[in-house]
Amino acid sequence: MIQILRTTETEEYRILRGTAADYAARVLAPVAEELDAPTGTPFLESMNKASELGVLRAFVAEESGGGGLDDYAFCVALEEMAVESAGAATALLIHNAALLPAIAASGAPELEAVMGAAFPMSLAYPGQVSLAGGKVSGQVPMAFNAPAASMFTVLARSTEGIAVAMVEPGSEGVEITPNEHQMGLRAARCGSLHLTAVEPLAIIQADNEMVESLERLLHLGFAAISAGIARKAFTTAHAYASERYQGGDIIVHHQALRLMMAEMVSGIEMSRAMIKSACEEGGLAPALACRIEATDRALRSATDGVQVHGGYGYMEDYGMERLMRDASWCQIYPRPNQESLLTLLDLVEG
Amino acid sequence: MFDDMLGTAMSERGKQLLKDFPALQVLHKHDRKGVNGMIKVAEDCEEYNRRYAEPMALEIDERIGRDHDYFNWDIVKAGCQYRFLSLAIPEGVGGIAGKYIVTNMALAVHELCSTCGGIGLIFGAHTLGVSPLITAGAMAHWDTVLHEIAEEEKKGNPVLMAYAITEPSAGTDVEDPEFLAKGKIGMEARRTKGGYVINGRKCFISNGREAKYLTLTAALDRNRPLETWTTFLIENGMPGYSTPRVERKMGQRASHATELLFEDVFVPDSHVLGYPGDGMVNGILMVMGASRGPVGAIATGIATGAYNHFMAWAKTRRNGHAPIDEERIRMAAADMHAMLCANRNLFINHALVADASFGKVLAHPLVNSTYLTPRAIRTSKPMYKLLNSMAGKAFINTLLGLFISDEEITHILALASMAKFHCADNAMKITSKALELMGADDSEDRRWVEKCFRDAKLCQIYEGTNQLNRLCLYDTEISKELTVEIPRPFRAPLKVEVN
Ligand SMILES: Cc1cc2nc3c(=O)[nH]c(=O)nc-3n(C[C@H](O)[C@H](O)[C@H](O)COP(=O)(O)OP(=O)(O)OC[C@H]3O[C@@H](n4cnc5c(N)ncnc54)[C@H](O)[C@@H]3O)c2cc1C
């Protein structure tokens, strides 16, 4: 396999990258196809082993039993996992995003159960939910991890502004409809959520800053997952092209394909550089910009990855078409890329 | 302005068709009957979509996603009443193909695929299977195979064909003469007494498992694939022939892609289409010249379906807001609309030019007069023997050469390849953009567009990848390095070793 890992990462990140890559290859790769099952709730048992990496509670301090990771470390882990299963990486991203509000409100005793919730938690956002008289009502059309969720982090509007309601799936008034037609990222199976006067386990007062940090994490996360998808597309396509003979030569020598693969490399380089700088910069705008670019490039890489494989790429057995379906789904959550572009300009305008 | 001179009003579908295809609007002034036939095809397909495809398409796609061996025959049977299996079968033997054979085919798959690419492919791949019987002028089999398909269809029994050229080790290589010459070919048809013995595999063959008949191209000598490339007619049920597996496809699932296995399959001389050694031209380049344009039509149909669902989504008001209220969505709609328009022009241009040649042959009095002789004589043993003899084939090749020039067929191939890759690329642009704009939406419209996105990708791959088709356009039309030479009669017979 050819080397495209030229980063100036420090020792700490490099070690994490190695461990995460090893985990992905050992644990995720063998079940990647199962995790992508077209219907039903994915069996995410293998993800519990990810706790060794500290990614199940990535942003909980180490002394409290978490991973104590910073944004970039988390992105590194996500990217490596997404190489084998973008869906599993998404399940993990959503789980950690769902934990963020509870971490921010740290120490509150009623949040103990939340902090200890099993993987995966689901993030019910964005949606139309309101909080009144201590009860939440409303609906969320698409929540990742919903059918398997141990807990829902529901963003709701209240008279005092934004509130986060922690809701248990078994509570009265909670109705979850799994999305049985999900095209991509199926390991993080979506569901729509209907809440009718549900009494939450806990309520966390929130503000715009919290919503922003949540969105930022989602953007960075999907950028990292997309980089993983693009890397898988590139390495698999290149390996295949180096063996396939057609048109009088191994096809890696045909310029038509060399151009495609070169663009994959430039896309990966760009995405990674942007992820790194967005993590270092902080703020929503760089994360948003990086997410838009990385997801768009990933879809192109995946589509071309299928093309390099010819007819074989179109078949489920080669895993290339899954990359296309997953990449397309990375472009849309929490909001579609084009809408995000306009938000980006708004942010820059201040 | 579209109303018939006699005062009979044209249907809404007809008016729309002439708007969608300006070339047909002009043609309508000169050949009303011909264009009315096209309108009829579009109307039939629309009715079929409404009655059968629309209610079933998502379900069939999903069912095959779970159980890829599943095939829905009902949806094929339902097409019989509209004669979808006879679109390329000459009228003389009971079909409905006339002077607009390619145009009608393109319009049919375009319309069918606007609801379901997979269902459209069943009928498209069938016609692809029929094509070599036409391009090789294999009239001996028109009265048998093609007649059977047409007659059974009238009774509601679908008899499917398939077209098999791709091998596991040669996909792009079988689509181009220069590449085939260097290709690593696996299948071989060895000369034996009274025919050939075929061994090897073909892969990704649409309708492969369901087809009763298939047209196949193979080398008589694997070390000289181009020189010895030959077109055969294969019957499902020939000893040694089997279809070991169907693929698990990303999209266009209603039609199976199948692996075909040949283990010492004996094929009699009567089942060689055209001369031995003419396979690259009569089995591939001439077929592709007719069919790649319709693949552009398939891509355009799929993209049109995506566009329609995208627009339905855009106009749906949720919480007082409809996406179309936003300028950016209207801009995107305009872009998609323009791409679809360009696509339609590309594939209809090819189809009409192709019909100026192919259609001319099929509608020629000489060909038609053949069918004035009673069927009993046409299907008699001596006649079958004559048509299958070298002299008979030489006669047909002579006729073909009189009707169509090498330049014509080369130009047709160029237009076909151009329509194919450009339409397919636009279809990917349209479907992926629509999904991105629609975002995380749990509507039925999004589900349709997701299917269109998966279906569209195949159009960049089959009938020669888009890379191959670009090379083909360059070679035929830009550099003029490649000229399709219609097989010449009365040549020294091809020498191959006899086992
Ligand atoms: C669903 C499906 C249905 C199909 N149906 C049929 C059917 O009914 N009948 C049939 O015969 N076939 C069928 N095919 C086969 C199809 O036509 C081939 O897949 C296609 O021609 C590509 O061949 P390949 O898959 O071997 O890819 P390859 O030829 O191996 O190509 C791999 C990659 O290399 C590129 N490449 C190859 N050579 C060159 C070159 N010289 N220069 C630049 N780039 C090059 C290609 O563009 C492609 O990107 C079907 C395929 C699929 C997927």
Side-chain angles (χ1 to χ4, degrees):
Chain A
M1 208 187 298
I2 54 171
Q3 189 67 23
I4 46 162
L5 298 175
R6 289 180 301 98
T7 60
T8 52
E9 276 162 8
T10 58
E11 187 74 9
E12 174 199 351
Y13 295 127
R14 228 172 317 141
I15 291 172
L16 176 67
R17 196 180 275 287
T19 330
D22 180 60
Y23 164 83
R26 248 184 329 110
V27 182
L28 292 181
V31 294
E33 208 185 308
E34 252 170 87
L35 290 173
D36 183 50
T39 52
T41 307
F43 183 63
L44 285 164
E45 182 65 14
S46 46
M47 290 299 289
N48 285 320
K49 296 191 193 139
S51 60
E52 301 157 24
L53 303 172
V55 289
L56 284 186
R57 277 169 180 60
F59 301 109
V60 174
E62 256 177 303
E63 16 343 328
S64 316
L69 301 186
D70 60 21
D71 293 340
Y72 186 61
F74 186 57
C75 284
V76 165
L78 281 183
E79 180 191 322
E80 293 304 327
M81 290 186 176
V83 168
E84 298 307 340
S85 170
T90 302
L92 191 71
L93 167 64
I94 298 299
H95 172 77
N96 278 286
L99 261 175
L100 268 194
I103 298 171
S106 69
E110 74 270 23
L111 289 177
E112 220 159 90
V114 174
M115 297 300 288
F119 174 83
M121 287 172 70
S122 173
L123 179 65
Y125 172 79
Q128 299 281 327
V129 184
S130 56
L131 173 73
K135 302 213 168 170
V136 279
S137 296
Q139 45 191 307
V140 179
M142 196 181 106
F144 280 111
N145 294 350
S150 63
M151 181 88 62
F152 286 94
T153 300
V154 184
L155 268 74
R157 267 174 212 297
S158 73
T159 43
E160 285 111 81
I162 302 163
V164 177
M166 303 307 301
V167 169
E168 287 174 303
S171 307
E172 210 179 304
V174 177
E175 196 190 318
I176 306 161
T177 317
N179 179 351
E180 290 294 353
H181 312 297
Q182 189 171 335
M183 182 178 76
L185 305 174
R186 288 173 182 161
R189 172 77 59 203
C190 283
S192 61
L193 194 65
H194 282 251
L195 304 167
T196 326
V198 178
E199 193 162 341
L201 185 71
I203 295 172
I204 304 166
Q205 270 314 317
D207 50 18
N208 276 333
E209 208 177 308
M210 170 169 297
V211 178
E212 227 180 83
S213 65
L214 203 65
E215 289 226 348
R216 178 168 178 274
L217 179 64
L218 292 172
H219 294 320
L220 291 174
F222 276 111
I225 290 169
S226 299
I229 292 174
R231 270 178 51 201
K232 181 70 172 183
F234 170 70
T235 49
T236 319
H238 194 274
Y240 180 78
S242 304
E243 289 183 352
R244 176 78 173 167
Y245 173 94
Q246 212 70 204
D249 205 343
I250 47 171
I251 58 175
V252 75
H253 290 152
H254 295 313
Q255 270 187 349
L257 301 192
R258 295 194 74 69
L259 274 177
M260 280 182 198
M261 291 186 286
E263 281 191 24
M264 293 182 200
V265 174
S266 81
I268 293 162
E269 287 290 330
M270 185 199 69
S271 305
R272 288 172 143 194
M274 286 184 88
I275 292 167
K276 193 147 183 273
S277 94
C279 286
E280 285 164 5
E281 283 297 316
L284 190 54
L288 195 52
C290 130
R291 171 254 162 73
I292 294 165
E293 294 300 333
T295 54
D296 283 357
R297 292 302 290 261
L299 178 59
R300 203 156 100 198
S301 298
T303 309
D304 288 347
V306 170
Q307 192 67 17
V308 169
H309 281 73
Y312 297 94
Y314 199 69
M315 306 310 170
E316 288 175 11
D317 318 55
Y318 285 75
M320 297 307 287
E321 56 88 40
R322 170 159 53 89
L323 301 183
M324 251 182 92
R325 291 186 282 107
D326 286 349
S328 171
W329 267 59
C330 286
Q331 292 183 313
I332 57 172
Y333 186 81
R335 260 170 296 280
N337 274 358
Q338 196 183 68
E339 211 179 307
S340 305
L341 260 178
L342 292 179
T343 311
L344 179 62
L345 186 62
D346 291 342
L347 286 172
V348 171
E349 287 170 340
Chain B
M1 85 176 127
F2 300 122
D3 282 6
D4 207 312
M5 294 257 282
L6 298 170
T8 47
M10 185 180 278
S11 69
E12 286 308 310
R13 186 71 195 90
K15 288 179 193 167
Q16 188 58 45
L17 195 79
L18 298 201
K19 264 193 212 156
D20 284 347
F21 296 95
L24 299 186
Q25 191 180 322
V26 178
L27 186 62
H28 190 248
K29 305 252 181 276
H30 304 284
D31 182 3
R32 178 164 304 126
K33 187 162 165 266
V35 175
N36 283 345
M38 297 174 198
I39 293 172
K40 172 81 168 57
V41 167
E43 284 171 347
D44 282 354
C45 294
E46 189 183 41
E47 183 182 301
Y48 170 87
N49 281 344
R50 196 175 54 246
R51 288 176 64 190
Y52 306 103
E54 241 170 68
M56 295 290 290
L58 289 176
E59 206 179 305
I60 293 176
D61 173 74
E62 197 185 302
R63 167 100 190 254
I64 295 176
R66 277 182 277 124
D67 166 17
H68 60 284
D69 271 317
Y70 173 73
F71 185 83
N72 188 304
W73 273 105
D74 291 340
I75 206 82
V76 192
K77 281 204 183 96
C80 288
Q81 58 190 295
Y82 304 102
R83 309 297 314 274
F84 293 159
L85 299 177
S86 298
L87 282 165
I89 296 181
E91 283 167 354
V93 285
I96 57 172
K99 62 181 172 179
Y100 294 116
I101 175 172
V102 181
T103 307
N104 280 331
M105 194 57 214
L107 290 172
V109 286
H110 175 248
E111 190 76 32
L112 292 173
C113 291
S114 69
T115 293
C116 178
I119 293 172
L121 177 61
I122 297 176
F123 298 110
H126 164 81
T127 293
L128 190 61
V130 169
S131 306
L133 292 168
I134 311 285
T135 54
M139 289 179 83
H141 302 285
W142 292 13
D143 264 311
T144 51
V145 174
L146 297 188
H147 181 262
E148 177 189 338
I149 294 170
E151 290 308 313
E152 286 301 312
E153 184 175 44
K154 287 178 194 163
K155 292 185 242 157
N157 304 324
V159 175
L160 282 181
M161 283 199 72
Y163 173 68
I165 63 170
T166 307
E167 302 191 2
S169 60
T172 298
D173 281 354
V174 300
E175 306 256 356
D176 177 277
E178 198 189 317
F179 297 158
L180 181 60
K182 295 184 263 185
K184 294 180 177 168
I185 299 303
M187 178 177 277
E188 197 168 55
R190 304 279 291 180
R191 188 84 185 108
T192 187
K193 193 164 173 286
Y196 296 83
V197 173
I198 305 186
N199 276 291
R201 284 169 201 273
K202 293 281 176 187
C203 63
F204 305 146
I205 307 309
S206 301
N207 295 353
R209 181 166 284 178
E210 292 72 30
K212 180 169 180 192
Y213 300 104
L214 33 126
T215 40
L216 173 102
T217 62
L220 306 185
D221 177 351
R222 284 193 295 168
N223 299 317
R224 294 187 297 152
L226 177 60
E227 269 177 274
T228 67
W229 205 246
T230 299
T231 310
F232 295 94
L233 173 69
I234 305 295
E235 298 182 29
N236 193 343
M238 283 178 162
Y241 170 75
S242 61
T243 56
R245 71 186 218 114
V246 296
E247 300 281 352
R248 301 189 301 152
K249 298 160 71 180
M250 178 189 202
Q252 298 196 20
R253 285 179 176 149
S255 154
H256 277 157
T258 313
E259 184 178 46
L260 314 180
L261 177 62
F262 289 75
E263 294 169 301
D264 286 332
V265 177
F266 174 76
V267 182
D269 280 330
S270 59
H271 283 45
V272 172
L273 307 180
Y275 285 135
D278 283 346
M280 179 37 87
V281 176
N282 72 15
I284 297 196
L285 294 179
M286 289 177 78
V287 174
M288 292 296 148
S291 69
R292 278 182 188 156
V295 171
I298 288 180
T300 308
I302 292 169
T304 302
Y307 172 79
N308 291 340
H309 286 287
F310 169 77
M311 289 308 287
W313 163 85
K315 289 175 187 161
T316 306
R317 211 158 276 285
R318 299 168 199 81
N319 310 314
H321 171 83
I324 203 73
D325 296 343
E326 292 187 58
E327 184 177 66
R328 64 189 180 92
I329 302 294
R330 298 199 294 272
M331 291 283 189
D335 278 338
M336 292 179 192
H337 194 92
M339 277 189 261
L340 289 174
C341 192
N343 273 16
R344 285 192 299 264
N345 284 334
L346 270 177
F347 82 70
I348 207 74
N349 273 356
H350 159 263
L352 290 171
V353 172
D355 279 336
S357 296
F358 289 124
K360 186 172 66 187
V361 180
L362 281 186
H364 199 278
L366 248 169
V367 176
N368 280 334
S369 63
T370 318
Y371 294 96
L372 295 176
T373 43
R375 206 181 121 70
I377 296 177
R378 278 162 24 219
T379 53
S380 65
K381 248 202 165 129
M383 189 66 173
Y384 187 74
K385 260 192 148 152
L386 174 72
L387 285 170
N388 260 325
S389 68
M390 283 300 156
K393 288 178 181 181
F395 176 67
I396 289 167
N397 277 354
T398 310
L399 280 182
L400 211 61
L402 285 178
F403 293 139
I404 311 180
S405 71
D406 292 354
E407 286 68 34
E408 265 173 20
I409 186 75
T410 306
H411 179 56
I412 290 169
L413 179 61
L415 291 178
S417 301
M418 180 163 65
K420 192 277 184 187
F421 77 76
H422 204 74
C423 291
D425 283 352
N426 277 345
M428 275 316 288
K429 281 185 198 152
I430 290 170
T431 52
S432 51
K433 191 68 192 174
L435 283 183
E436 189 252 291
L437 291 172
M438 292 169 87
D441 181 272
D442 58 355
S443 71
E444 180 108 332
D445 282 318
R446 182 176 167 98
R447 207 178 142 201
W448 279 101
V449 181
E450 286 189 342
K451 179 176 173 299
C452 293
F453 169 77
R454 291 185 284 108
D455 288 354
K457 178 62 198 155
L458 182 52
C459 300
Q460 294 183 315
I461 300 172
Y462 61 10
E463 300 245 348
T465 63
N466 277 12
Q467 288 69 41
L468 178 275
N469 275 283
R470 283 183 168 84
L471 293 176
C472 182
L473 173 65
Y474 180 81
D475 290 347
T476 48
E477 193 91 337
I478 303 174
S479 73
K480 305 204 186 298
E481 282 159 33
L482 174 65
T483 302
V484 182
E485 289 175 26
I486 294 171
R488 304 266 176 269
F490 310 114
R491 292 163 311 180
L494 180 74
K495 285 205 180 66
V496 283
E497 205 180 304
V498 181
N499 248 11

